[in-house]
Amino acid sequence: MIRRFVFGEMIETEAILEKPQAEGGAVPFLCVDEEAMTFSYSMEDSDRVYGLGENVRGMNKRGWIYESKCSDNPDHQEDTRALYGAHNFLVVDGKEQFGIFLDYPGILTFDVGYTRRSELKITASDWNLDLYVITGENVKDIVKQFRHLIGRSFVVPMWAFGYGQSRWSYMNEDEVREVANKHRQLGIPLDSVYLDIDYMERYKDFTLNDEAFPEFEKFNEEMKEQNIHLVPIIDAGVKQEEGYSVYEEGLEKGYFCKKEDGTPFVAAVWPGKALFPDMLNKEARDWFGDQYKFLLDQGVEGFWNDMNEPAIFYTEDRLNQVMEQLGEYKGKNLDLNLFWEFKGLVNGLSNNVDDYTKFYHNMNGKKIRHDRVHNLFGYNMTRAAGEAFERLEPDKRILMFSRSSYIGMHRYGGIWMGDNKSWWSHILMNLRMLPSLNMCGFLYTGADLGGFGSDTTEDLVLRWLALGIFTPLMRNHAALGTRVQEAYQFEDVDGFRHIIGLRYKLLPYLYSEYMKAVLRDEMMFRPLAFDYPEDARAVRVEDQLLLGDGLMIAPVYEQNAEGRYVYLPERMKLVRFKKDGSCEEEILEAGDHYVDVALTDVVVFVRPDHLIPLSKGGQCVADVDFEDLQYLSFVENEAVYEYYHDDGYEKDYENPAHMCVIRMEKDGKVCRE
Amino acid sequence: MIRRFVFGEMIETEAILEKPQAEGGAVPFLCVDEEAMTFSYSMEDSDRVYGLGENVRGMNKRGWIYESKCSDNPDHQEDTRALYGAHNFLVVDGKEQFGIFLDYPGILTFDVGYTRRSELKITASDWNLDLYVITGENVKDIVKQFRHLIGRSFVVPMWAFGYGQSRWSYMNEDEVREVANKHRQLGIPLDSVYLDIDYMERYKDFTLNDEAFPEFEKFNEEMKEQNIHLVPIIDAGVKQEEGYSVYEEGLEKGYFCKKEDGTPFVAAVWPGKALFPDMLNKEARDWFGDQYKFLLDQGVEGFWNDMNEPAIFYTEDRLNQVMEQLGEYKGKNLDLNLFWEFKGLVNGLSNNVDDYTKFYHNMNGKKIRHDRVHNLFGYNMTRAAGEAFERLEPDKRILMFSRSSYIGMHRYGGIWMGDNKSWWSHILMNLRMLPSLNMCGFLYTGADLGGFGSDTTEDLVLRWLALGIFTPLMRNHAALGTRVQEAYQFEDVDGFRHIIGLRYKLLPYLYSEYMKAVLRDEMMFRPLAFDYPEDARAVRVEDQLLLGDGLMIAPVYEQNAEGRYVYLPERMKLVRFKKDGSCEEEILEAGDHYVDVALTDVVVFVRPDHLIPLSKGGQCVADVDFEDLQYLSFVENEAVYEYYHDDGYEKDYENPAHMCVIRMEKDGKVCRE
């Protein structure tokens, strides 16, 4: 059951399109303090709290304080309070079971037992919000109801399930060609190469660097002939430059965010001074969305939207101010306090929350200050694109994922997990974020495999890929100035070929589970706690996941480890895929196991009476035969699998012809219905 | 066997006082490339590499690149290459077993399979160094030989084994009193309160803030009457201020580091502009050491030396330059490159390696540029103090620990692990650093419990203390601006009292093991690999430690966990100390176990035929009765324990009266010999 409670008058987010009738009366479970603008709940020691989408720490979010404040934050550390998204949905699981969603576009804090271990306290910045309280049969049911409420998740074209290679940046055609060729020559599968900011002319959206990509359309075609898709980045800020048509047209039409006095709000990003299209203004959004046509027309079929928290290097006004102030420190003895002040001025230029109060949106004719709707910006940039794709290419699926997001955006695109680092602990962060994102509707997601910031190592990339082969978005991406980390840069090419190749074998299962999760409002990745709620050990497991109907995964995330502990809540079949192409199987009893996992092994666990359809693999998604299936199976009585398959490009998702049932008897006999 | 090889002419570090005769001929194990200034070794997959003292990552250092470059670095992350110390000793354990020590005061890199997984490569900045290659019966023997070579480790006064409470800063007498009183009132044991930089008059070494501490000597006495020791911080930089006697005297005598032109090198730290005493010049060192008399004379018996990498906020010259350059950015459109340049100028002011080439030392009359001897600075600051203590208080043990260090400094003081953060992963980092520091002679050590930077939580402090009760230095310390984290700030006071109280019960064992490790050149904390080298699983364990003769510890370092996996290389007895004062025991077979560990439990494992002497505890070290012992024991045949005990303050460590043997029969009968 979903109940809606209205406090004040919320600014419409369109997270929820069909709202249940608002209720009066007391809010269940929560203690409401209008004056303090808080909701609180007293937790028992055994209560667990799931959700909050893109955040650090555990699947169980207890013990930290999180902020919903979309942030351009490359420091994904244990003490990070906010990342790029604002995902205000959580489920309390324990003595009571309920979900809550705060539909609120401003900044919120979720103190989940940080200040006091037993208290959950949610604090809003103002008292205009809708609160949804959801109860159900169990946690999965609560999540499913919520997912239904927020609408169906975005679907990508099938090729977007292939392996993608990215770097900030492949600087020109030849560098992209090299990536494509190297993979093809070495037999390492590949489906996409990502173009980071340098493909543009001086970081101007919807332009091309003509020296680096003199014949982009032709080059794109050349790549497509090899079944490789180019995926360019689009930034939120539009360069302020006379003669640049996007800038001039947007300015003329009044489509950029403005300061209080009505003049354009100028903030710098990659190109220096830039203006932000007013993504919250429908007309401006339509106009911005139409700009993608420039690249669609050259055959591009996928995009990633970046810097849309929005990230701000500095605002014109603050920089001018700081430049003046810096002079005042000249000749002074800068002691601790003065020196910190001085450094603080410079380091406070970027992503300064105070700047959110310096510009305004035009929402349906109303002038709204940015801080009140901060968390909607990235969402609406991606919505601009998504709505435009529907207009411009109605019959085509276009890949789209974003850095910033709010619930509701999941209908228009996926997200990647942002600018992580080449840290072993980030494998685990990647894993833990998958179910919490799924809870909030984000199914097409993944982390920068190998790590974006800082230098990686061969073993880290291998181990991370062994998780990445399971995530819908499977992309290796690295930052400017870091060690190169394409698979072919390392010595154990066989190992990379084997692990990445396995992704393509898994595709029938992964795509089927993804589509069923989309169509049924379910989670593709689940904590063990969601399927085994009665198992006191299972509910505490923070480093294993259920993947779809029949698999459990437990990747290795410790350097130099030769294996790891795995907890089995029930009898399962361990399947080990080895580099030499062989496959070992072993049935393990419920309980604790230490499992050997060599550096190039991939280990999965099949649940009893389940089967997993596999293909024979391929060098790209187009190569993969989704009909000629093999099966991983653990049949004690009978395994029944609902197999979804479509052509991967059309949009008739609900066509019953896409679904069939595969049955396996104990003797291994398979039949399809 | 220890073999010494000489390359070029090293600058004397005095790490090793009695050097073996240098050898000619080929260096064993290593491939030497004089031109590239490298030593390299080809590793097998199963080889492990231990050592390198204070560094991030595993006990097995494979898979990363480390730098010996003493650094003021509060970011202890997986990609951190250098912390505060330079500890150039490692042991390769595998196909071959050998230790190497590079006695070299300049910057070194240790690429331990980072660039190529199978290659260990050490690169020096110039080719003037002594290389020691050590072989032995096993890893423990190699370490013991090395430890003997570098001389006996520093011994602290007994009270320094008590619990210490610190914060940057307790601002005045009343704040310190409150800390003392709260602990005493609540029955939480305490032996010391640390004074961070604000006890001084405007951060001037060897001064007191007279407003905050108007009668310091009297106040110190008041605290001592409660058995609480005040431990003030001393910084490396001496404030440049006319009328300040330390500055004036040092300047007059020419004891500060100088620029090439002979004028003083001015660099800023806490007080702003400051000068660095030339710690490498014997006369200056003696003079600086004599300054500690100011506090010794007021009854102080312990110090911590900080900022002695040396940390540099900025140099006078660089700041002037940057101030000029900043003006040039005014009015420009700062795009990506220009803005990063601009920010880089400001952020490059601090701890800029280029500044190491801008000042000089006077070593035995020779002018030596700082970069060539960078890693000796903190070592010699602490040596200045240690040598002075021997002159000024020859009969007393004075507590001393330092942030920066080089091997050799372990004879004069301990180290703390520097400015860590309130991160769960830092519990594990703390644990893993213990054996590598012990290998390098640093026995008196510990981390800032609860975490220095960033905000902590109650459960983190509890779990961290449950490791901290085992480390010789047991101190809770937190940075300015972070959440308060004294034990009494949280709700579960009983839990804190229980865990900290346990420390005092463990003291007979801990002190005995510490002193035996000192006197026998052994390691108090050892990886399982060192004691169970034939056990393929044990050699990979990275989150358990052997502590002294008879204990294994396996702390919980994951938030919300209710237990953890533990690997037992042999049958052991699990002992669980519970908050209610009870104690549960269970004998566990060799192998894998999942062990429940409630948030306020402390679990230890007793090895077979071992016994652990415990006291009945106390509110401070002076309370603890080291004669009235109880025993944790796991006796299958007979347990024999060599018990070291002295009065904790005199220096006759080798007096045989300090050692006795305690025997326990299978029937529990104990006899002392």
Side-chain angles (χ1 to χ4, degrees):
Chain A
M1 185 172 64
I2 303 182
R3 300 170 67 183
R4 173 168 164 247
F5 299 87
V6 170
F7 299 91
E9 195 180 342
M10 73 171 272
I11 298 174
E12 186 51 55
T13 67
E14 294 176 71
I16 292 170
L17 300 179
E18 291 177 36
K19 300 185 187 187
Q21 198 63 42
E23 295 192 24
V27 175
F29 308 115
L30 303 179
C31 172
V32 182
D33 182 338
E34 300 220 3
E35 204 144 328
M37 300 192 290
T38 61
F39 300 95
S40 50
Y41 178 72
S42 180
M43 298 183 287
E44 306 231 309
D45 271 359
S46 57
D47 286 356
R48 301 175 303 279
V49 178
Y50 298 99
L52 297 181
E54 189 183 44
N55 264 304
V56 300
R57 297 220 173 193
M59 298 190 238
N60 177 2
K61 307 310 287 182
R62 279 188 78 153
W64 191 237
I65 181 167
Y66 308 88
E67 273 183 305
S68 278
K69 181 182 75 182
C70 296
S71 301
D72 165 26
N73 185 356
D75 294 317
H76 305 188
Q77 299 169 345
E78 285 181 38
D79 59 323
T80 298
R81 294 182 177 199
L83 291 172
Y84 314 88
H87 304 147
N88 307 333
F89 174 59
L90 59 80
V91 175
V92 173
D93 184 14
K95 184 189 41 163
E96 307 281 358
Q97 268 186 338
F98 60 95
I100 48 184
F101 173 57
L102 289 104
D103 197 5
Y104 176 70
I107 292 168
L108 276 175
T109 60
F110 293 85
D111 180 336
V112 192
Y114 160 75
T115 301
R116 294 186 55 228
R117 288 191 59 237
S118 58
E119 189 177 53
L120 167 66
K121 185 182 263 183
I122 305 167
T123 308
S125 308
D126 66 65
W127 202 239
N128 296 292
L129 52 86
D130 279 13
L131 168 73
Y132 295 80
V133 179
I134 308 169
T135 48
E137 281 170 35
N138 52 41
V139 175
K140 284 203 284 194
D141 178 48
I142 291 168
V143 172
K144 189 175 170 121
Q145 290 183 61
F146 175 67
R147 286 275 306 282
H148 183 74
L149 180 72
I150 59 174
R152 182 181 287 174
S153 297
F154 169 72
V155 176
V156 295
M158 178 83 91
W159 62 262
F161 267 80
Y163 179 56
Q165 181 60 54
S166 187
R167 183 166 183 87
W168 173 17
S169 299
Y170 299 119
M171 300 302 285
N172 52 47
E173 283 187 2
D174 282 342
E175 290 192 16
V176 174
R177 239 180 230 117
E178 194 194 357
V179 174
N181 292 344
K182 280 271 170 70
H183 281 83
R184 290 286 178 258
Q185 281 160 15
L186 295 170
I188 301 168
L190 187 72
D191 267 274
S192 51
V193 178
Y194 286 76
L195 302 178
D196 211 319
I197 56 175
D198 295 283
Y199 81 89
M200 294 180 264
E201 187 203 341
R202 281 170 296 129
Y203 316 126
K204 289 188 290 189
D205 277 343
F206 313 114
T207 70
L208 288 159
N209 179 334
D210 287 336
E211 272 180 49
F213 295 92
E215 294 183 286
F216 184 75
E217 187 172 356
K218 205 174 133 199
F219 179 62
N220 190 47
E221 193 49 43
E222 174 192 326
M223 287 294 111
K224 271 203 205 167
E225 278 163 17
Q226 301 175 51
N227 286 303
I228 287 172
H229 288 75
L230 298 182
V231 185
I233 197 167
I234 304 292
D235 288 316
V238 169
K239 186 174 197 291
Q240 183 183 46
E241 182 180 280
E242 276 183 41
Y244 165 38
S245 65
V246 182
Y247 163 72
E248 291 201 333
E249 193 179 315
L251 191 68
E252 189 201 318
K253 296 192 167 157
Y255 287 158
F256 293 114
C257 293
K258 297 184 179 67
K259 294 199 281 192
E260 188 161 22
D261 65 7
T263 61
F265 173 74
V266 181
V269 275
W270 308 119
K273 289 180 197 167
L275 280 64
F276 293 126
D278 187 354
M279 305 296 182
L280 306 190
N281 169 351
K282 186 178 182 320
E283 274 178 47
R285 194 162 64 232
D286 286 349
W287 166 78
F288 189 78
D290 284 340
Q291 307 304 315
Y292 287 80
K293 192 167 188 302
F294 171 77
L295 289 159
L296 290 171
D297 285 352
Q298 299 186 62
V300 170
E301 295 175 326
F303 300 88
W304 42 317
N305 280 348
D306 195 15
M307 303 290 278
N308 50 0
E309 294 71 29
I312 294 178
F313 290 174
Y314 58 85
T315 65
E316 190 175 37
D317 292 345
R318 186 178 298 277
L319 182 67
N320 290 339
Q321 217 176 64
V322 165
M323 285 290 192
E324 288 310 315
Q325 287 170 300
L326 289 179
E328 292 166 22
Y329 292 81
K330 234 180 192 168
K332 281 190 185 161
N333 180 24
L334 305 185
D335 65 1
L336 166 60
N337 295 322
L338 281 175
F339 184 61
W340 281 16
E341 230 177 68
F342 171 79
K343 274 177 88 158
L345 280 175
V346 172
N347 291 315
L349 282 167
S350 299
N351 299 316
N352 192 314
V353 178
D354 184 52
D355 289 329
Y356 300 164
T357 66
K358 300 293 163 55
F359 67 106
Y360 292 81
H361 298 276
N362 173 357
M363 287 181 80
N364 305 313
K366 266 197 191 155
K367 183 171 160 183
I368 310 262
R369 203 168 77 175
H370 178 76
D371 58 329
R372 297 195 59 203
V373 290
H374 173 69
N375 290 334
L376 301 183
F377 193 86
Y379 162 18
N380 280 282
M381 177 188 180
T382 294
R383 183 178 170 190
E387 289 174 341
F389 300 157
E390 288 296 327
R391 289 194 302 276
L392 301 167
E393 302 268 17
D395 299 326
K396 223 173 172 175
R397 301 187 203 172
I398 305 287
L399 169 64
M400 161 55 65
F401 58 93
S402 173
R403 196 169 68 182
S404 186
S405 59
Y406 182 85
I407 290 173
M409 201 204 83
H410 68 286
R411 303 191 299 264
Y412 302 100
I415 60 173
W416 89 101
M417 294 175 185
D419 298 340
N420 63 8
K421 290 215 163 68
S422 297
W423 292 356
W424 288 82
S425 56
H426 280 189
I427 298 180
L428 196 52
M429 190 174 70
N430 180 173
L431 177 140
R432 289 171 173 171
M433 232 186 263
L434 288 164
S436 57
L437 286 173
N438 279 194
M439 288 172 71
C440 298
F442 296 96
L443 296 179
Y444 189 77
T445 188
D448 286 347
L449 304 173
F452 178 71
S454 87
D455 293 316
T456 201
T457 56
E458 180 172 11
D459 52 351
L460 177 60
V461 183
L462 284 166
R463 289 293 196 194
W464 209 329
L465 284 168
L467 167 60
I469 57 171
F470 300 110
T471 61
L473 168 60
M474 181 194 177
R475 179 177 79 145
N476 175 334
H477 183 42
L480 185 72
T482 61
R483 181 177 186 177
V484 290
Q485 65 185 41
E486 294 83 6
Y488 54 80
Q489 306 283 2
F490 300 105
E491 293 180 54
D492 190 0
V493 171
D494 292 343
F496 283 93
R497 185 190 305 112
H498 158 64
I499 293 176
I500 298 167
L502 196 50
R503 160 67 161 213
Y504 288 76
K505 293 187 180 154
L506 288 163
L507 276 179
Y509 181 70
L510 294 176
Y511 186 72
S512 171
E513 290 301 316
Y514 169 79
M515 287 304 300
K516 287 190 295 183
V518 168
L519 295 169
R520 296 171 177 177
D521 300 318
E522 291 179 346
M523 294 169 68
M524 187 171 168
F525 293 96
R526 298 179 307 284
L528 270 54
F530 285 25
D531 284 43
Y532 304 95
E534 303 301 326
D535 181 331
R537 283 287 309 287
V539 301
R540 295 285 161 188
V541 170
E542 287 275 348
D543 60 357
Q544 304 173 200
L545 285 178
L546 297 165
L547 162 48
D549 200 37
L551 274 191
M552 185 177 78
I553 59 172
V556 171
Y557 51 88
E558 192 194 320
Q559 190 165 34
N560 298 319
E562 295 181 339
R564 56 160 288 174
Y565 288 104
V566 179
Y567 177 74
L568 299 193
E570 60 181 325
R571 236 157 96 84
M572 292 190 189
K573 182 191 271 182
L574 176 156
V575 182
R576 173 179 288 110
F577 297 95
K578 293 165 72 84
K579 184 165 83 170
D580 64 9
S582 68
C583 187
E584 293 173 356
E585 301 194 344
E586 184 185 356
I587 291 165
L588 299 179
E589 296 305 318
D592 296 306
H593 298 270
Y594 184 89
V595 174
D596 294 324
V597 190
L599 186 55
T600 52
D601 282 359
V602 175
V603 167
V604 299
F605 301 85
V606 184
R607 298 170 79 173
D609 284 333
H610 281 83
L611 66 85
I612 312 296
L614 300 182
S615 82
K616 292 188 172 141
Q619 288 300 299
C620 56
V621 171
D623 272 3
V624 173
D625 187 339
F626 284 78
E627 291 304 320
D628 181 14
L629 299 176
Q630 298 171 317
Y631 302 99
L632 290 187
S633 63
F634 177 26
V635 184
E636 299 202 305
N637 296 295
E638 184 197 39
V640 178
Y641 184 72
E642 293 182 280
Y643 181 48
Y644 178 97
H645 182 62
D646 62 19
D647 77 351
Y649 300 95
E650 290 188 42
K651 292 179 169 176
D652 60 336
Y653 312 126
E654 297 186 61
N655 185 337
H658 297 330
M659 192 76 87
C660 73
V661 170
I662 303 173
R663 238 175 250 283
M664 186 183 276
E665 306 295 328
K666 210 172 166 178
D667 61 7
K669 215 169 59 188
V670 174
C671 72
R672 262 172 94 150
E673 293 155 21
Chain B
M1 185 174 60
I2 303 181
R3 299 171 66 183
R4 172 167 164 247
F5 299 88
V6 170
F7 299 90
E9 194 179 343
M10 75 171 271
I11 297 174
E12 186 53 52
T13 67
E14 295 177 69
I16 293 169
L17 300 179
E18 290 177 38
K19 301 187 187 189
Q21 198 63 43
E23 294 192 24
V27 175
F29 308 115
L30 303 179
C31 171
V32 182
D33 183 338
E34 302 219 3
E35 203 144 330
M37 300 191 291
T38 61
F39 299 96
S40 50
Y41 178 71
S42 180
M43 297 183 288
E44 307 231 308
D45 271 359
S46 57
D47 286 356
R48 301 175 303 280
V49 178
Y50 298 99
L52 297 181
E54 189 183 43
N55 263 304
V56 300
R57 298 219 174 195
M59 297 190 239
N60 178 0
K61 306 312 286 181
R62 278 188 78 154
W64 191 238
I65 179 167
Y66 308 87
E67 272 183 305
S68 278
K69 182 182 74 182
C70 297
S71 299
D72 166 25
N73 186 356
D75 294 317
H76 305 185
Q77 300 170 343
E78 286 182 37
D79 59 324
T80 298
R81 296 183 177 197
L83 290 172
Y84 314 87
H87 305 147
N88 306 333
F89 174 59
L90 60 79
V91 175
V92 173
D93 184 14
K95 184 189 42 164
E96 306 281 357
Q97 267 186 338
F98 59 95
I100 47 182
F101 173 58
L102 289 104
D103 196 5
Y104 176 71
I107 293 168
L108 275 176
T109 61
F110 293 85
D111 181 337
V112 192
Y114 160 76
T115 302
R116 294 186 54 228
R117 288 190 60 238
S118 58
E119 189 179 53
L120 166 66
K121 185 182 262 182
I122 304 165
T123 308
S125 307
D126 66 64
W127 202 238
N128 297 292
L129 52 85
D130 279 14
L131 168 73
Y132 295 80
V133 179
I134 309 168
T135 49
E137 280 170 34
N138 53 42
V139 175
K140 285 203 284 192
D141 177 49
I142 290 167
V143 172
K144 190 175 169 121
Q145 289 183 59
F146 175 66
R147 288 275 306 282
H148 183 75
L149 180 70
I150 59 176
R152 181 180 289 174
S153 297
F154 169 72
V155 176
V156 295
M158 177 84 89
W159 62 263
F161 266 80
Y163 178 54
Q165 181 59 55
S166 186
R167 183 166 183 88
W168 173 18
S169 297
Y170 299 120
M171 300 300 285
N172 51 48
E173 282 187 1
D174 282 343
E175 291 192 15
V176 174
R177 241 180 229 116
E178 193 194 358
V179 174
N181 291 344
K182 281 272 170 66
H183 282 83
R184 289 286 177 259
Q185 281 160 15
L186 295 169
I188 301 168
L190 187 71
D191 267 274
S192 51
V193 178
Y194 286 76
L195 301 178
D196 211 320
I197 55 174
D198 296 282
Y199 81 90
M200 294 180 265
E201 186 203 339
R202 281 171 296 131
Y203 316 127
K204 290 187 291 189
D205 277 343
F206 313 113
T207 70
L208 287 159
N209 178 334
D210 287 334
E211 272 180 49
F213 295 91
E215 295 184 284
F216 184 77
E217 188 172 355
K218 205 176 132 197
F219 179 63
N220 190 48
E221 193 50 39
E222 175 193 327
M223 287 294 110
K224 269 202 208 169
E225 279 163 16
Q226 301 176 52
N227 287 302
I228 287 173
H229 287 75
L230 298 181
V231 186
I233 197 167
I234 304 293
D235 288 316
V238 169
K239 186 173 197 290
Q240 184 183 45
E241 182 180 280
E242 275 183 41
Y244 166 39
S245 65
V246 181
Y247 164 70
E248 292 201 333
E249 191 180 317
L251 191 69
E252 188 202 317
K253 295 192 167 156
Y255 287 158
F256 294 115
C257 292
K258 297 184 179 67
K259 295 200 281 193
E260 188 162 23
D261 65 7
T263 61
F265 173 72
V266 181
V269 275
W270 308 118
K273 289 179 198 169
L275 278 67
F276 293 127
D278 187 354
M279 306 294 183
L280 306 189
N281 169 350
K282 186 177 183 322
E283 273 178 49
R285 192 161 65 232
D286 286 348
W287 166 78
F288 189 79
D290 284 339
Q291 308 304 315
Y292 287 79
K293 193 168 186 303
F294 172 76
L295 289 158
L296 290 171
D297 285 351
Q298 299 185 62
V300 170
E301 296 175 327
F303 300 88
W304 42 316
N305 281 347
D306 196 14
M307 303 288 279
N308 50 0
E309 293 72 26
I312 294 177
F313 290 175
Y314 58 85
T315 65
E316 188 174 39
D317 292 345
R318 185 177 298 276
L319 181 69
N320 290 339
Q321 216 177 67
V322 164
M323 284 291 191
E324 288 310 314
Q325 286 170 299
L326 289 179
E328 292 167 23
Y329 291 82
K330 233 179 194 170
K332 281 191 186 161
N333 180 24
L334 306 185
D335 65 1
L336 166 60
N337 296 323
L338 280 176
F339 185 62
W340 281 15
E341 229 177 69
F342 171 78
K343 274 178 88 157
L345 279 176
V346 172
N347 291 314
L349 281 168
S350 299
N351 298 319
N352 192 314
V353 178
D354 184 51
D355 289 329
Y356 300 163
T357 65
K358 299 293 163 54
F359 67 105
Y360 292 80
H361 298 276
N362 173 357
M363 287 179 81
N364 304 314
K366 265 196 191 158
K367 183 172 160 183
I368 311 263
R369 204 168 75 175
H370 178 75
D371 58 328
R372 297 194 60 200
V373 290
H374 173 70
N375 291 333
L376 301 183
F377 193 85
Y379 161 19
N380 280 282
M381 177 188 180
T382 295
R383 182 177 171 191
E387 289 174 341
F389 300 156
E390 288 295 326
R391 287 194 303 276
L392 301 167
E393 303 267 17
D395 299 326
K396 225 172 172 178
R397 301 188 201 170
I398 305 287
L399 169 63
M400 162 54 65
F401 57 92
S402 172
R403 196 168 70 183
S404 186
S405 59
Y406 182 86
I407 290 173
M409 201 204 83
H410 68 286
R411 302 190 301 262
Y412 302 100
I415 61 173
W416 89 99
M417 293 173 185
D419 298 342
N420 63 7
K421 290 216 164 66
S422 296
W423 292 356
W424 289 83
S425 56
H426 280 188
I427 298 180
L428 196 53
M429 190 174 70
N430 180 174
L431 178 139
R432 289 171 174 172
M433 230 185 262
L434 287 164
S436 57
L437 286 173
N438 279 194
M439 288 172 72
C440 298
F442 296 96
L443 296 179
Y444 189 77
T445 187
D448 286 348
L449 304 173
F452 177 71
S454 86
D455 292 317
T456 201
T457 56
E458 181 172 11
D459 53 350
L460 177 59
V461 183
L462 284 167
R463 290 294 196 194
W464 209 329
L465 283 169
L467 167 60
I469 57 171
F470 300 110
T471 60
L473 168 61
M474 180 193 179
R475 180 177 78 147
N476 175 334
H477 183 42
L480 186 72
T482 61
R483 180 177 186 179
V484 290
Q485 65 185 43
E486 293 82 8
Y488 54 80
Q489 306 284 2
F490 300 105
E491 295 181 53
D492 191 1
V493 170
D494 292 344
F496 282 93
R497 186 189 304 113
H498 159 64
I499 294 175
I500 297 168
L502 196 50
R503 160 66 160 215
Y504 289 77
K505 293 187 181 154
L506 287 163
L507 277 180
Y509 181 69
L510 294 176
Y511 185 72
S512 171
E513 290 301 317
Y514 169 80
M515 287 305 300
K516 286 191 294 185
V518 168
L519 296 169
R520 295 171 178 177
D521 301 316
E522 290 179 346
M523 294 169 67
M524 187 171 167
F525 293 96
R526 299 179 306 284
L528 271 53
F530 285 27
D531 283 44
Y532 304 96
E534 303 301 325
D535 180 331
R537 284 286 310 287
V539 301
R540 295 286 161 187
V541 170
E542 286 275 348
D543 60 358
Q544 305 172 200
L545 284 179
L546 298 165
L547 162 47
D549 198 37
L551 275 190
M552 185 176 79
I553 59 172
V556 171
Y557 51 87
E558 192 194 320
Q559 191 165 33
N560 298 319
E562 296 181 338
R564 55 160 291 174
Y565 288 105
V566 178
Y567 178 74
L568 299 193
E570 59 181 325
R571 233 157 100 82
M572 291 190 190
K573 182 191 272 183
L574 176 157
V575 182
R576 174 180 289 110
F577 297 95
K578 293 165 72 84
K579 186 165 80 170
D580 63 9
S582 69
C583 187
E584 293 173 356
E585 301 194 344
E586 185 185 355
I587 291 164
L588 299 178
E589 296 304 316
D592 296 305
H593 298 270
Y594 183 89
V595 174
D596 294 324
V597 190
L599 185 54
T600 51
D601 283 358
V602 175
V603 167
V604 299
F605 301 85
V606 184
R607 299 170 79 174
D609 285 333
H610 281 83
L611 66 85
I612 312 296
L614 300 182
S615 82
K616 291 186 173 143
Q619 288 298 301
C620 57
V621 171
D623 272 4
V624 173
D625 185 340
F626 284 78
E627 290 304 318
D628 181 13
L629 299 177
Q630 298 172 317
Y631 303 98
L632 290 185
S633 63
F634 177 26
V635 184
E636 299 201 305
N637 296 296
E638 183 197 38
V640 178
Y641 184 71
E642 292 182 280
Y643 180 48
Y644 178 96
H645 183 62
D646 61 22
D647 76 351
Y649 300 96
E650 290 188 41
K651 293 181 168 173
D652 61 336
Y653 313 125
E654 296 186 62
N655 184 337
H658 298 329
M659 192 75 88
C660 73
V661 170
I662 303 173
R663 239 175 250 283
M664 186 183 275
E665 306 296 325
K666 212 174 169 180
D667 60 7
K669 216 169 59 189
V670 174
C671 71
R672 261 173 94 152
E673 292 153 19

